[in-house]
Amino acid sequence: MVNLVKAQRPLLHGLMKMAGIRPYTVEIEPGTVMSFWVPSETITKPNKKDEKPKIVSGPSKPTVVLIHGFAAEGIVTWQFQVGALTKKYSVYVPDLLFFGGSVTEKAERSPRFQAECLATGLRKLGVEKCIAVGFSYGGMVAFKMAELYPELVQAMVISGSVWAMTDSITAASIQELGFSSSSQLLLPTSVKGLKALLSVATHKKLWFPHRLHKDFLEVMFTNRKERSELLDGLVISNSDITIPNFPQRIHLLWGENDQIFKLELAQNMKEELGDGTTFQGIKKAGHLVHLERPCVYNRCLKQFIASFLALNEAKK
């Protein structure tokens, strides 16, 4: 029987190519590769079926990097944002390690390692500066990349995430949602578990046929062992917390009904991160704010990017 989610991939890939991005694989180091969707004009178009594209240039416009969360790969997560951004910006959509075609032979599973590999991949693609947009798990990777490489990350837009996942935040969130562990919530093994995840991730209850849930479960939740290790590698002790002094502008763009990382958490984080951080809430939206209210999300996202770039230009 045809997997309906898998069958839709060629259509999604076609839409991404129409929007101006194409797939490209970067070898980060021997044994580690990352898949990206990159601006079409930056790579060659293969003439033969088995010919691999080559990088011909870096980005020609201000660069936006869209970093996905834990439940789906890059273009599935950001399918409603790519087309809204590619006219004015060079858009890069990576698949983090153990998502999409990105893998590593190394045993490292921390957000720091993801950030290091992502930064290396972007530089190999000719990206020197970027605005990082991170959702959920991708937000944590974005924060870490900004901390490690302030010369690369100019600004950040963060949705439904925290700069570090402490054991107290983890315990409180999971307990309040009624799950026994992060893996039970984020790596469902049954249709019932997937429905429970979608229930807490959205503001309005979504209805999909049973089969579509089953097909999504089969396609999107691969590399379970490694992803479970990624979750284990996320949590740090409260005693190890030191908030970095981020020089970047940070914009927290939140679904006001987010049940996983609640509004109060975002507002507290804004105060902790200091004067360079702004906050904006989107009504009638949960954790998956960019999918639930894409038009509002895109408008807010583009407003922040445009204002940041204008301010940056004025300073020159």
Side-chain angles (χ1 to χ4, degrees):
M1 189 178 287
V2 175
N3 184 300
L4 296 176
V5 175
K6 193 179 290 184
Q8 289 173 356
R9 270 186 170 166
L11 174 61
L12 181 58
H13 286 199
L15 290 171
M16 293 300 106
K17 289 174 182 177
M18 285 174 63
I21 61 173
R22 287 167 50 206
Y24 187 82
T25 300
V26 178
E27 183 181 46
I28 306 302
E29 58 184 47
T32 302
V33 296
M34 288 192 87
S35 300
F36 286 80
W37 283 77
V38 305
S40 299
E41 68 273 14
T42 66
I43 57 175
T44 57
K45 191 173 182 180
N47 294 319
K48 300 174 184 176
K49 194 173 182 180
D50 57 347
E51 186 181 354
K52 293 182 179 179
K54 296 181 178 65
I55 301 168
V56 291
S57 72
S60 58
K61 295 175 279 192
T63 300
V64 177
V65 180
L66 302 174
I67 312 174
H68 65 81
F70 210 82
E73 60 200 44
I75 59 168
V76 175
T77 300
W78 300 109
Q79 57 188 288
F80 297 128
Q81 281 68 53
V82 171
L85 294 170
T86 48
K87 187 176 180 180
K88 289 188 175 180
Y89 308 108
S90 292
V91 176
Y92 290 76
V93 188
D95 287 330
L96 297 173
L97 295 170
F98 301 114
F99 296 85
S102 301
V103 292
T104 184
E105 293 175 355
K106 286 197 166 183
E108 180 63 63
R109 299 289 184 262
S110 68
R112 183 187 187 98
F113 183 61
Q114 291 273 23
E116 289 170 347
C117 290
L118 178 53
T120 298
L122 289 170
R123 285 184 170 137
K124 288 193 173 190
L125 291 167
V127 175
E128 295 178 358
K129 292 181 180 180
C130 70
I131 295 168
V133 181
F135 162 67
S136 199
Y137 178 63
M140 299 176 212
V141 175
F143 270 125
K144 185 54 69 173
M145 187 165 72
E147 178 188 350
L148 296 173
Y149 308 103
E151 74 288 353
L152 172 64
V153 181
Q154 295 177 287
M156 288 184 284
V157 179
I158 303 294
S159 298
S161 189
V162 288
W163 67 267
M165 197 71 181
T166 65
D167 42 20
S168 61
I169 290 175
T170 305
S173 299
I174 295 301
Q175 187 176 11
E176 192 169 331
L177 291 169
F179 292 86
S180 61
S181 66
S182 298
S183 291
Q184 187 191 25
L185 170 63
L186 295 170
L187 290 172
T189 57
S190 65
V191 169
K192 183 181 178 182
L194 178 56
K195 287 181 177 179
L197 172 57
L198 289 174
S199 173
V200 300
T202 55
H203 170 57
K204 286 187 177 180
K205 188 176 181 181
L206 302 176
W207 183 88
F208 297 110
H210 178 87
R211 184 183 166 191
L212 203 59
H213 282 98
K214 186 172 176 291
D215 289 352
F216 188 89
L217 200 64
E218 183 182 312
V219 172
M220 291 299 164
F221 292 94
T222 56
N223 299 318
R224 287 180 175 275
K225 175 180 176 293
E226 290 83 1
R227 291 193 196 181
S228 180
E229 291 166 354
L230 290 177
L231 288 174
D232 292 339
L234 267 183
V235 182
I236 60 174
S237 170
N238 283 68
S239 60
D240 296 333
I241 287 295
T242 304
I243 301 174
N245 182 22
F246 291 103
Q248 298 91 346
R249 280 275 308 280
I250 302 170
H251 190 55
L252 306 177
L253 186 53
W254 231 258
E256 291 189 359
N257 303 98
D258 193 327
Q259 295 182 65
I260 296 176
F261 292 114
K262 294 199 169 181
L263 202 60
E264 295 80 8
L265 186 64
Q267 291 165 338
N268 289 340
M269 187 163 63
K270 176 189 177 297
E271 298 305 314
E272 291 174 345
L273 291 171
D275 295 337
T277 302
T278 50
F279 170 83
Q280 192 171 14
I282 295 178
K283 297 181 183 298
K284 298 179 182 178
H287 190 62
L288 296 173
V289 55
H290 57 292
L291 295 175
E292 283 195 282
R293 304 209 62 195
C295 294
V296 180
Y297 185 90
N298 293 349
R299 185 169 66 248
C300 297
L301 176 61
K302 288 191 289 184
Q303 283 172 350
F304 171 78
I305 294 172
S307 66
F308 167 76
L309 291 173
L311 188 63
N312 213 36
E313 192 64 30
K315 289 179 180 178
K316 290 181 181 179

